[in-house]
Amino acid sequence: MFSNVENEEKKLENQKETISLSGCFPKEWVSLTNESEKVETLTCYLCNQIANNGMELCCDEHENVDQVYLVGEECLQKYLKLNNEKCPIEQHDYCEFSQNRIVRKLVSELLVICPRQFDLKKGQSNEETKSREEDNELNSNSISKSNCDFKGKIKDLKDHLDKSCNLIPIKQVISSKIVMSESIETLQNMIKDLQSQIQDSKLQIIENKKQIKKMKENENKQIEELNVNSFIFQMIFYLIFYKFKISKVLKKDQQIIGLTNDIQQLKTEMNDLKQQQNEKLTI
């Protein structure tokens, strides 16, 4: 199922939520409502974004360095897991770190707009750079037809997103769009199946017509053969009848000839008798 669904998923990946409440926060988002100098002091050493749940690296190997190595907690955990627990500064073993409460407090107090509103505007801006036509399509199928006017502290974000934000989470939109795409794909397949069945039915009708035509031709041929046979039978009957008639006529002719011969013989005999009588009289 499905090339259309896969294309939809790839398209929606470009619209995925860029802001996580567990990971570091995008500078681009935080800088919209905060001074850049303040933002730079809260940057994660690993991802160069705003450190969330800030941790400070405090290994003995670099304790004399003037720089404070600040990292987001999630970034640090991922890095250590991928690098056999080695420190990201000098790649030494036994990386030591601790929570930086001051940084955590400062980050939690930063003013920000709703992250969903930020993602929505960013997505619309990206679409506008491609083409107006795609932008119109995005507007007609946007994540939400309304906007979110939230502007508050980062520490209040979770409560806002869970309870009062009127924008639909992109994950939910992705899920609904995928379901819709699958439904459309299913309907398209059903239509294709119906079209195939209709085509098969048409071919079957054509084949049935051919068979009916062939049956009619065979029937006509049989009728013609019956007519010929009937004619032959009639001719034979007439021949037999005329032969019988002729034989009867021939028999009568033979009888007539026989009677004629008998009459002729009687005449001859009578003539002989007359002659004998005449001879006797003359004597």
mmCIF file with all atom_site columns, all heavy atoms in Angstrom, residues 30 44 46 69 73 92 105 134 145 160 164 269:
data_model
loop_
_atom_site.group_PDB
_atom_site.id
_atom_site.type_symbol
_atom_site.label_atom_id
_atom_site.label_alt_id
_atom_site.label_comp_id
_atom_site.label_asym_id
_atom_site.label_entity_id
_atom_site.label_seq_id
_atom_site.pdbx_PDB_ins_code
_atom_site.Cartn_x
_atom_site.Cartn_y
_atom_site.Cartn_z
_atom_site.occupancy
_atom_site.B_iso_or_equiv
_atom_site.pdbx_formal_charge
_atom_site.auth_seq_id
_atom_site.auth_comp_id
_atom_site.auth_asym_id
_atom_site.auth_atom_id
_atom_site.pdbx_PDB_model_num
ATOM 1   N N   . VAL A 1 30  ? 13.928  30.610  20.064  1.00 0.00 ? 30  VAL A N   1
ATOM 2   C CA  . VAL A 1 30  ? 14.125  31.389  21.292  1.00 0.00 ? 30  VAL A CA  1
ATOM 3   C C   . VAL A 1 30  ? 14.520  32.825  20.974  1.00 0.00 ? 30  VAL A C   1
ATOM 4   O O   . VAL A 1 30  ? 14.120  33.776  21.666  1.00 0.00 ? 30  VAL A O   1
ATOM 5   C CB  . VAL A 1 30  ? 15.191  30.709  22.179  1.00 0.00 ? 30  VAL A CB  1
ATOM 6   C CG1 . VAL A 1 30  ? 15.448  31.532  23.436  1.00 0.00 ? 30  VAL A CG1 1
ATOM 7   C CG2 . VAL A 1 30  ? 14.752  29.298  22.553  1.00 0.00 ? 30  VAL A CG2 1
ATOM 8   N N   . CYS A 1 44  ? 24.225  25.146  24.152  1.00 0.00 ? 44  CYS A N   1
ATOM 9   C CA  . CYS A 1 44  ? 24.756  23.798  24.401  1.00 0.00 ? 44  CYS A CA  1
ATOM 10  C C   . CYS A 1 44  ? 26.051  23.612  23.609  1.00 0.00 ? 44  CYS A C   1
ATOM 11  O O   . CYS A 1 44  ? 26.109  23.905  22.411  1.00 0.00 ? 44  CYS A O   1
ATOM 12  C CB  . CYS A 1 44  ? 23.713  22.757  23.992  1.00 0.00 ? 44  CYS A CB  1
ATOM 13  S SG  . CYS A 1 44  ? 24.311  21.047  24.015  1.00 0.00 ? 44  CYS A SG  1
ATOM 14  N N   . LEU A 1 46  ? 27.408  20.897  22.614  1.00 0.00 ? 46  LEU A N   1
ATOM 15  C CA  . LEU A 1 46  ? 27.352  19.796  21.642  1.00 0.00 ? 46  LEU A CA  1
ATOM 16  C C   . LEU A 1 46  ? 26.521  20.135  20.404  1.00 0.00 ? 46  LEU A C   1
ATOM 17  O O   . LEU A 1 46  ? 26.928  19.834  19.281  1.00 0.00 ? 46  LEU A O   1
ATOM 18  C CB  . LEU A 1 46  ? 26.790  18.535  22.309  1.00 0.00 ? 46  LEU A CB  1
ATOM 19  C CG  . LEU A 1 46  ? 27.688  17.889  23.368  1.00 0.00 ? 46  LEU A CG  1
ATOM 20  C CD1 . LEU A 1 46  ? 26.963  16.737  24.049  1.00 0.00 ? 46  LEU A CD1 1
ATOM 21  C CD2 . LEU A 1 46  ? 28.987  17.397  22.742  1.00 0.00 ? 46  LEU A CD2 1
ATOM 22  N N   . TYR A 1 69  ? 31.824  24.485  30.289  1.00 0.00 ? 69  TYR A N   1
ATOM 23  C CA  . TYR A 1 69  ? 31.273  23.611  29.248  1.00 0.00 ? 69  TYR A CA  1
ATOM 24  C C   . TYR A 1 69  ? 29.837  23.250  29.625  1.00 0.00 ? 69  TYR A C   1
ATOM 25  O O   . TYR A 1 69  ? 29.594  22.407  30.496  1.00 0.00 ? 69  TYR A O   1
ATOM 26  C CB  . TYR A 1 69  ? 32.128  22.360  29.088  1.00 0.00 ? 69  TYR A CB  1
ATOM 27  C CG  . TYR A 1 69  ? 33.497  22.662  28.528  1.00 0.00 ? 69  TYR A CG  1
ATOM 28  C CD1 . TYR A 1 69  ? 34.623  22.629  29.350  1.00 0.00 ? 69  TYR A CD1 1
ATOM 29  C CD2 . TYR A 1 69  ? 33.650  22.992  27.187  1.00 0.00 ? 69  TYR A CD2 1
ATOM 30  C CE1 . TYR A 1 69  ? 35.880  22.902  28.841  1.00 0.00 ? 69  TYR A CE1 1
ATOM 31  C CE2 . TYR A 1 69  ? 34.915  23.274  26.671  1.00 0.00 ? 69  TYR A CE2 1
ATOM 32  C CZ  . TYR A 1 69  ? 36.023  23.237  27.497  1.00 0.00 ? 69  TYR A CZ  1
ATOM 33  O OH  . TYR A 1 69  ? 37.262  23.524  26.994  1.00 0.00 ? 69  TYR A OH  1
ATOM 34  N N   . GLU A 1 73  ? 21.031  18.120  28.831  1.00 0.00 ? 73  GLU A N   1
ATOM 35  C CA  . GLU A 1 73  ? 21.069  16.789  29.439  1.00 0.00 ? 73  GLU A CA  1
ATOM 36  C C   . GLU A 1 73  ? 20.843  15.687  28.397  1.00 0.00 ? 73  GLU A C   1
ATOM 37  O O   . GLU A 1 73  ? 21.556  14.681  28.381  1.00 0.00 ? 73  GLU A O   1
ATOM 38  C CB  . GLU A 1 73  ? 20.002  16.689  30.536  1.00 0.00 ? 73  GLU A CB  1
ATOM 39  C CG  . GLU A 1 73  ? 20.032  15.369  31.291  1.00 0.00 ? 73  GLU A CG  1
ATOM 40  C CD  . GLU A 1 73  ? 19.047  15.334  32.437  1.00 0.00 ? 73  GLU A CD  1
ATOM 41  O OE1 . GLU A 1 73  ? 18.159  16.213  32.498  1.00 0.00 ? 73  GLU A OE1 1
ATOM 42  O OE2 . GLU A 1 73  ? 19.152  14.426  33.282  1.00 0.00 ? 73  GLU A OE2 1
ATOM 43  N N   . HIS A 1 92  ? 38.428  11.700  27.141  1.00 0.00 ? 92  HIS A N   1
ATOM 44  C CA  . HIS A 1 92  ? 38.982  10.865  28.212  1.00 0.00 ? 92  HIS A CA  1
ATOM 45  C C   . HIS A 1 92  ? 37.854  10.068  28.866  1.00 0.00 ? 92  HIS A C   1
ATOM 46  O O   . HIS A 1 92  ? 36.661  10.354  28.679  1.00 0.00 ? 92  HIS A O   1
ATOM 47  C CB  . HIS A 1 92  ? 39.700  11.739  29.255  1.00 0.00 ? 92  HIS A CB  1
ATOM 48  C CG  . HIS A 1 92  ? 38.798  12.776  29.864  1.00 0.00 ? 92  HIS A CG  1
ATOM 49  N ND1 . HIS A 1 92  ? 37.863  12.493  30.828  1.00 0.00 ? 92  HIS A ND1 1
ATOM 50  C CD2 . HIS A 1 92  ? 38.702  14.114  29.614  1.00 0.00 ? 92  HIS A CD2 1
ATOM 51  C CE1 . HIS A 1 92  ? 37.227  13.591  31.172  1.00 0.00 ? 92  HIS A CE1 1
ATOM 52  N NE2 . HIS A 1 92  ? 37.716  14.607  30.439  1.00 0.00 ? 92  HIS A NE2 1
ATOM 53  N N   . LYS A 1 105 ? 17.449  27.561  35.550  1.00 0.00 ? 105 LYS A N   1
ATOM 54  C CA  . LYS A 1 105 ? 16.497  28.590  35.961  1.00 0.00 ? 105 LYS A CA  1
ATOM 55  C C   . LYS A 1 105 ? 16.351  29.649  34.875  1.00 0.00 ? 105 LYS A C   1
ATOM 56  O O   . LYS A 1 105 ? 15.227  30.057  34.525  1.00 0.00 ? 105 LYS A O   1
ATOM 57  C CB  . LYS A 1 105 ? 16.981  29.228  37.265  1.00 0.00 ? 105 LYS A CB  1
ATOM 58  C CG  . LYS A 1 105 ? 16.115  30.361  37.783  1.00 0.00 ? 105 LYS A CG  1
ATOM 59  C CD  . LYS A 1 105 ? 14.761  29.866  38.254  1.00 0.00 ? 105 LYS A CD  1
ATOM 60  C CE  . LYS A 1 105 ? 13.976  30.995  38.915  1.00 0.00 ? 105 LYS A CE  1
ATOM 61  N NZ  . LYS A 1 105 ? 12.606  30.571  39.298  1.00 0.00 ? 105 LYS A NZ  1
ATOM 62  N N   . GLU A 1 134 ? 2.049   25.745  -4.444  1.00 0.00 ? 134 GLU A N   1
ATOM 63  C CA  . GLU A 1 134 ? 2.208   24.846  -3.315  1.00 0.00 ? 134 GLU A CA  1
ATOM 64  C C   . GLU A 1 134 ? 1.785   25.531  -2.028  1.00 0.00 ? 134 GLU A C   1
ATOM 65  O O   . GLU A 1 134 ? 1.260   24.905  -1.113  1.00 0.00 ? 134 GLU A O   1
ATOM 66  C CB  . GLU A 1 134 ? 3.663   24.377  -3.220  1.00 0.00 ? 134 GLU A CB  1
ATOM 67  C CG  . GLU A 1 134 ? 4.068   23.455  -4.358  1.00 0.00 ? 134 GLU A CG  1
ATOM 68  C CD  . GLU A 1 134 ? 5.506   23.008  -4.222  1.00 0.00 ? 134 GLU A CD  1
ATOM 69  O OE1 . GLU A 1 134 ? 6.158   23.455  -3.259  1.00 0.00 ? 134 GLU A OE1 1
ATOM 70  O OE2 . GLU A 1 134 ? 5.963   22.232  -5.065  1.00 0.00 ? 134 GLU A OE2 1
ATOM 71  N N   . LYS A 1 145 ? -6.610  25.994  10.928  1.00 0.00 ? 145 LYS A N   1
ATOM 72  C CA  . LYS A 1 145 ? -7.030  27.244  10.314  1.00 0.00 ? 145 LYS A CA  1
ATOM 73  C C   . LYS A 1 145 ? -6.908  28.408  11.300  1.00 0.00 ? 145 LYS A C   1
ATOM 74  O O   . LYS A 1 145 ? -7.080  29.555  10.910  1.00 0.00 ? 145 LYS A O   1
ATOM 75  C CB  . LYS A 1 145 ? -8.473  27.103  9.813   1.00 0.00 ? 145 LYS A CB  1
ATOM 76  C CG  . LYS A 1 145 ? -8.601  26.117  8.660   1.00 0.00 ? 145 LYS A CG  1
ATOM 77  C CD  . LYS A 1 145 ? -10.013 26.053  8.161   1.00 0.00 ? 145 LYS A CD  1
ATOM 78  C CE  . LYS A 1 145 ? -10.128 25.088  6.992   1.00 0.00 ? 145 LYS A CE  1
ATOM 79  N NZ  . LYS A 1 145 ? -11.498 24.989  6.477   1.00 0.00 ? 145 LYS A NZ  1
ATOM 80  N N   . HIS A 1 160 ? 0.647   24.559  28.697  1.00 0.00 ? 160 HIS A N   1
ATOM 81  C CA  . HIS A 1 160 ? -0.038  25.208  27.573  1.00 0.00 ? 160 HIS A CA  1
ATOM 82  C C   . HIS A 1 160 ? -0.345  24.212  26.457  1.00 0.00 ? 160 HIS A C   1
ATOM 83  O O   . HIS A 1 160 ? -1.474  24.161  25.944  1.00 0.00 ? 160 HIS A O   1
ATOM 84  C CB  . HIS A 1 160 ? 0.830   26.347  27.029  1.00 0.00 ? 160 HIS A CB  1
ATOM 85  C CG  . HIS A 1 160 ? 0.438   26.781  25.650  1.00 0.00 ? 160 HIS A CG  1
ATOM 86  N ND1 . HIS A 1 160 ? -0.732  27.457  25.373  1.00 0.00 ? 160 HIS A ND1 1
ATOM 87  C CD2 . HIS A 1 160 ? 1.056   26.596  24.440  1.00 0.00 ? 160 HIS A CD2 1
ATOM 88  C CE1 . HIS A 1 160 ? -0.822  27.683  24.069  1.00 0.00 ? 160 HIS A CE1 1
ATOM 89  N NE2 . HIS A 1 160 ? 0.254   27.174  23.484  1.00 0.00 ? 160 HIS A NE2 1
ATOM 90  N N   . SER A 1 164 ? -4.259  24.160  26.727  1.00 0.00 ? 164 SER A N   1
ATOM 91  C CA  . SER A 1 164 ? -4.893  25.359  26.165  1.00 0.00 ? 164 SER A CA  1
ATOM 92  C C   . SER A 1 164 ? -4.545  25.659  24.713  1.00 0.00 ? 164 SER A C   1
ATOM 93  O O   . SER A 1 164 ? -5.186  26.508  24.097  1.00 0.00 ? 164 SER A O   1
ATOM 94  C CB  . SER A 1 164 ? -4.524  26.584  27.024  1.00 0.00 ? 164 SER A CB  1
ATOM 95  O OG  . SER A 1 164 ? -3.110  26.759  27.054  1.00 0.00 ? 164 SER A OG  1
ATOM 96  N N   . GLU A 1 269 ? -55.627 -70.885 -85.442 1.00 0.00 ? 269 GLU A N   1
ATOM 97  C CA  . GLU A 1 269 ? -56.252 -72.196 -85.294 1.00 0.00 ? 269 GLU A CA  1
ATOM 98  C C   . GLU A 1 269 ? -57.596 -72.243 -86.030 1.00 0.00 ? 269 GLU A C   1
ATOM 99  O O   . GLU A 1 269 ? -57.958 -73.243 -86.650 1.00 0.00 ? 269 GLU A O   1
ATOM 100 C CB  . GLU A 1 269 ? -56.448 -72.516 -83.799 1.00 0.00 ? 269 GLU A CB  1
ATOM 101 C CG  . GLU A 1 269 ? -55.117 -72.791 -83.078 1.00 0.00 ? 269 GLU A CG  1
ATOM 102 C CD  . GLU A 1 269 ? -55.319 -73.053 -81.602 1.00 0.00 ? 269 GLU A CD  1
ATOM 103 O OE1 . GLU A 1 269 ? -56.474 -72.920 -81.115 1.00 0.00 ? 269 GLU A OE1 1
ATOM 104 O OE2 . GLU A 1 269 ? -54.323 -73.382 -80.894 1.00 0.00 ? 269 GLU A OE2 1
#
